[in-house]
Amino acid sequence: MTCELRKHLTEEGGFNLMLGFIIRPPHQLLSLLLCPGLRIPRLSVLCAQPRLRAMAVSSSSWELPLVAVCQVTSTPDKEQNFLTCAELIREAARLGACLAFLPEAFDFIARNPEETLHLSEPLGGNLLGEYTQLARDCGLWLSLGGFHERGQDWEQTQKIYNCHVILNNKGSVVATYRKTHLCDVEIPGQGPMHESNSTIPGPSLESPISTPAGKVLLRARAIESQCYVVAAAQCGRHHEKRASYGHSMVVDPWGTVVARCSEGPGLCLARIDLNYLRRLRQHLPVFQHRRPELYGHLGHPLS
């Protein structure tokens, strides 16, 4: 669970990612963003639902990296959640995506903090092992939005981390980020959600990681940060106490929604054109107006 815009932004190349988790009413948005020079022409967007409904992709855009945003309804049933995610990931690979994004809590959404702790696993556990094998089998990079991780201090704390994991197409863990700002929120009609009851804040920010679609980061907004925003969301009813809003999307650096899922499980895809972002930054040079003396350099924490 989260209501933060995660991590830091970079003014170097790459792409910011926005990993989205929206609760009804939409209180939470967890994000991953895409940076340097990304453009998704509207005709090059491909949208799909499970068992697939797709729009045509323009032939001129086939050489651009294709990213997939997966929208799911996680429940306390970890095995069924994996089967659902795996189906979408395989479909993304079949459609030619190089990188697929799963939302926060892709592994499960529990009914209470006790169940959350009971269902959690270490990074070296069975569930992440299944995802590493899936990444290898599909030849696809995976952004696993928020994994309920039992850290090395589990025996002492009996609490977990909300860990974002990036796997490469060989199934190796190439980056992890443990959420630093936890979300405690009261939602009318759904009761309180206090992430801090079961979760420890992460200790540090991590450097951007290079992927086939650019550099991943975990905090930004499209226009101010001049990047694509890829927001993977949960949707539907997870259990009797909780539901999510859905509408996963990809937003271009000018703020236009270029791909969007509906309320049900499914995926949407969009191509990434880094030249578009470079042109946009030339015409609207917002980075020239940054104030590092006030808040430090983007991508680096204040000393």
Side-chain angles (χ1 to χ4, degrees):
M1 296 175 287
T2 184
C3 57
E4 70 170 337
L5 293 179
R6 286 206 282 177
K7 217 172 165 190
H8 53 285
L9 179 67
T10 183
E11 59 188 354
E12 303 149 14
F15 78 83
N16 278 306
L17 280 170
M18 188 163 176
L19 188 58
F21 185 3
I22 307 177
I23 304 292
R24 186 190 302 274
H27 269 282
Q28 304 188 148
L29 184 58
L30 177 60
S31 312
L32 281 161
L33 292 168
L34 307 167
C35 246
L38 308 163
R39 187 187 191 229
I40 303 173
R42 295 194 184 195
L43 289 179
S44 70
V45 174
L46 189 155
C47 298
Q49 291 295 338
R51 305 272 65 92
L52 258 11
R53 148 176 88 69
M55 296 171 57
V57 178
S58 65
S59 59
S60 63
S61 64
W62 282 116
E63 69 279 5
L64 301 177
L66 185 69
V67 298
V69 186
C70 301
Q71 179 167 286
V72 299
T73 306
S74 294
T75 71
D77 188 338
K78 291 167 63 176
E79 182 177 357
Q80 184 57 52
N81 294 339
F82 173 74
L83 293 176
T84 299
C85 292
E87 181 180 9
L88 293 176
I89 289 168
R90 291 189 183 100
E91 190 60 45
R94 187 186 72 80
L95 292 169
C98 63
L99 177 58
F101 300 94
L102 294 180
E104 187 178 23
F106 68 94
D107 49 352
F108 64 86
I109 291 182
R111 299 174 182 87
N112 52 58
E114 294 75 25
E115 188 175 42
T116 295
L117 294 174
H118 175 71
L119 293 174
S120 64
E121 295 186 16
L123 290 182
N126 292 334
L127 184 60
L128 202 63
E130 291 185 285
Y131 278 98
T132 59
Q133 184 62 50
L134 184 62
R136 283 195 295 267
D137 292 344
C138 294
L140 191 66
W141 282 62
L142 299 180
S143 170
L144 306 178
F147 176 74
H148 296 86
E149 179 207 1
R150 291 189 184 185
Q152 295 182 351
D153 54 0
W154 164 254
E155 294 296 333
Q156 293 75 38
T157 65
Q158 293 295 294
K159 286 191 174 185
I160 61 174
Y161 294 96
N162 185 338
C163 184
H164 174 220
V165 182
I166 297 180
L167 303 176
N168 66 16
N169 58 354
K170 301 183 188 309
S172 300
V173 176
V174 295
T176 58
Y177 164 68
R178 292 166 180 88
K179 183 178 170 187
T180 55
H181 299 96
L182 304 182
C183 181
D184 291 348
V185 63
E186 304 278 342
I187 298 179
Q190 295 197 47
M193 291 193 303
H194 292 161
E195 190 175 23
S196 60
N197 287 344
S198 59
T199 306
I200 304 171
S204 64
L205 299 177
E206 305 300 329
S207 299
I209 190 76
S210 295
T211 77
K215 289 184 179 179
V216 178
L217 303 153
L218 301 179
R219 191 191 78 188
R221 289 183 295 181
I223 298 175
E224 295 97 293
S225 299
Q226 294 186 323
C227 58
Y228 279 96
V229 173
V230 179
Q234 293 276 350
C235 67
R237 181 147 303 272
H238 309 290
H239 47 72
E240 63 276 8
K241 297 180 180 178
R242 186 167 170 189
S244 295
Y245 183 62
H247 296 292
S248 300
M249 66 181 67
V250 179
V251 183
D252 77 9
W254 198 241
T256 302
V257 176
V258 294
R260 187 201 301 267
C261 291
S262 66
E263 291 193 8
L267 56 84
C268 63
L269 300 100
R271 295 194 178 275
I272 306 303
D273 181 358
L274 300 180
N275 290 325
Y276 174 65
L277 184 53
R278 296 187 183 99
R279 293 197 301 271
L280 183 64
R281 288 179 174 180
Q282 289 175 356
H283 296 307
L284 186 65
V286 297
F287 285 93
Q288 294 181 12
H289 303 288
R290 300 286 189 187
R291 297 286 306 279
E293 73 276 13
L294 299 180
Y295 43 72
H297 291 279
L298 296 176
H300 304 280
L302 284 169
S303 57

